Amino acid sequence: MTQAPVPDQTIRDSNGRVLLFSCDDFVNDICLGNSCFICGAAPGTKEFNYEHVVPRWVLRHYKLFGAEMTLPNGEFHHYDSYGVPCCKDCNSFLGDHVEIPVSRLLKGRFDQVAARLDDKAMLLLFIWLNLLFVKTHLKDRLLPVHRDSRKGSGKIADAYDWPDLHHIHAVARAPFVGTEVGRAVIGSIAIFPVTDLRAGETFDWIDLTAGQTVAIRAGETGIVAVLNDAKMAQWAIAHILHSIDGPLTTTQLRELAARMAVANMDLKNRPVFGTALSKEAPHNVRLWVETDPQPAFNDFDPSRFGTIMAFALRDLLDRLEIGGDRGADKIRAHLLTGRVTFIGDEHGRFVSRGGKLLR
Ligand SMILES: [Zn+2]
């Protein structure tokens, strides 16, 4: 068995299919090149397609064609023109093996979705969120940090540490390789009903890169997931998760994402992920993780939390009210203190409809 976290050389099976990318090939071919982000085929060697970052079924079901999403640089981008290089074969593989099953899982009322969430469904959901995260960040390399080019020509992804994405990419392509993903590899996941749908909007997606955390709202279902914490972050905020006894608002869902992201950033004894490969064909590929039995966290830093919170709520600032204050600048200043919560009252009790958005 090969047990290094990341191999020096890309490992292929006898048919030439990549089982595991080396870090260099991942960075050069996938992150910085234009190879298919799933199989690694170079441009021109196969028929290429365009893989939407936000899948087409989501665009159709939540009527997002023509709608805009806010990117990490604050820029707005049309959901339907947001895609990454992908060969036609992998595009249809992802459709059949990931997107269609996930669409069946997430459509419908919250109680219907919750009833479908067995272990197999949770794994599929986790893989799908890793896939969305990878696609978002591969796309970032093409997007400028500053909308105004006079402020600099850096791209959002220039600030990334690409090897950090290697593990998440390995999870995202698990269905393609047939990789076994153990339960321990799955990160913290919180799933709650969301009721205060923003006027006419039933889909929401935020991505807190620094904390490798994503939040998605698909209809009535809100999901927050940490991708690389092996369920450690949820220890740090267990008291908050346990206090929630009703549906969340969009604001509360995003706050939960900010809190889980910061808990992940504060985790001191980080899990170590790797891929194990059997030497004999057919190769058995398995993602593994090593964790300390007891997670340890740095002290909560309000200013860091405040920064993440202001980022998580950046497109809602002018629709929130805090202590009678309104207006984006005042709301941002409140959030940056790191002392604002929409989830709990001063006794830590859940606030129903906290942070309700103003129309
Ligand atoms: Zn491909």
Side-chain angles (χ1 to χ4, degrees), residues 36-41 46 86-91 176:
C36 170
F37 83 108
I38 294 292
C39 70
K46 289 186 80 175
C86 184
C87 79
K88 209 172 167 185
D89 292 341
C90 291
N91 191 244
F176 174 77

Side-chain angles (χ1 to χ4, degrees), residues 44-64:
T45 61
K46 289 186 80 175
E47 193 177 344
F48 265 60
N49 220 332
Y50 182 66
E51 166 77 8
H52 280 83
V53 170
V54 179
R56 288 184 68 80
W57 74 266
V58 171
L59 300 175
R60 264 195 308 272
H61 191 71
Y62 301 105
K63 300 182 176 58
L64 296 171

Side-chain angles (χ1 to χ4, degrees), residues 57 94-106 124:
W57 74 266
L94 290 177
D96 293 345
H97 293 87
V98 182
E99 298 302 345
I100 291 173
V102 169
S103 71
R104 290 190 185 128
L105 193 61
L106 291 182
L124 176 67

Side-chain angles (χ1 to χ4, degrees), residues 36 38 49 62 80 126-127 182 232 266 288 320 325 354:
C36 170
I38 294 292
N49 220 332
Y62 301 105
D80 44 332
F126 183 66
I127 288 171
M232 296 293 183
D266 281 341
W288 53 264
L320 288 167
D325 284 339

Side-chain angles (χ1 to χ4, degrees), residues 224-241:
V224 180
V226 185
L227 304 181
N228 67 343
D229 74 328
K231 298 182 191 65
M232 296 293 183
Q234 65 192 31
W235 285 53
I237 62 156
H239 57 294
I240 297 172
L241 292 170

Side-chain angles (χ1 to χ4, degrees), residues 142-220:
L142 305 174
L143 299 166
V145 178
H146 302 291
R147 277 174 282 182
D148 180 348
S149 60
R150 287 167 298 185
K151 291 182 184 163
S153 60
K155 303 288 190 285
I156 297 174
D158 290 352
Y160 290 167
D161 188 5
W162 290 114
D164 272 0
L165 256 191
H166 186 275
H167 164 67
I168 293 177
H169 183 244
V171 175
R173 57 194 296 281
F176 174 77
V177 177
T179 307
E180 188 189 319
V181 182
R183 283 173 66 121
V185 171
I186 297 177
S188 299
I189 303 184
I191 302 179
F192 290 101
V194 180
T195 50
D196 85 321
L197 305 181
R198 291 166 65 187
E201 297 167 25
T202 50
F203 181 80
D204 193 35
W205 162 257
I206 62 160
D207 166 342
L208 304 174
T209 312
Q212 308 263 303
T213 297
V214 296
I216 192 164
R217 200 196 67 226
E220 292 178 8

